[in-house]
Amino acid sequence: MGKQARKTDISQAKLAIERAGLYIAQKKDIEQLAKVSADAYLDYPLHNWLFGGKYDAKASELLMEISLKTMLKD
């Protein structure tokens, strides 16, 4: 697939997402998304295990922020 075709596909996908009433997160949203994501993992066993068996809100938020930053291009 050529660069132009890929750009067209991405543009069409973004338009479909926006028409569906959804929001495409941006780099400036990462901090807030990390907070929301960390809250969603409050009772998640893997997070508890990673943080010594007890949920750690700050550590979970940092983990989510790092994870989200790895997806910026996607």
Side-chain angles (χ1 to χ4, degrees):
M1 177 184 305
K3 279 187 176 184
Q4 188 59 37
R6 187 174 189 290
K7 284 183 181 180
T8 300
D9 288 345
I10 290 171
S11 295
Q12 290 175 343
K14 286 181 179 180
L15 185 59
I17 290 167
E18 290 168 354
R19 283 182 179 161
L22 301 173
Y23 175 75
I24 299 174
Q26 299 174 17
K27 187 175 182 176
K28 66 180 179 68
D29 301 320
I30 286 182
E31 189 175 313
Q32 184 63 32
L33 290 171
K35 288 179 185 179
V36 171
S37 298
D39 286 346
Y41 284 87
L42 180 63
D43 294 318
Y44 190 58
L46 180 58
H47 276 221
N48 294 346
W49 179 81
L50 286 170
F51 307 127
K54 183 179 176 189
Y55 181 77
D56 181 329
K58 263 315 211 196
S60 186
E61 187 177 323
L62 181 59
L63 177 65
M64 296 312 297
E65 185 175 338
I66 291 167
S67 296
L68 290 165
K69 284 181 177 178
T70 66
M71 297 180 246
L72 280 175
K73 291 183 181 178
D74 298 327

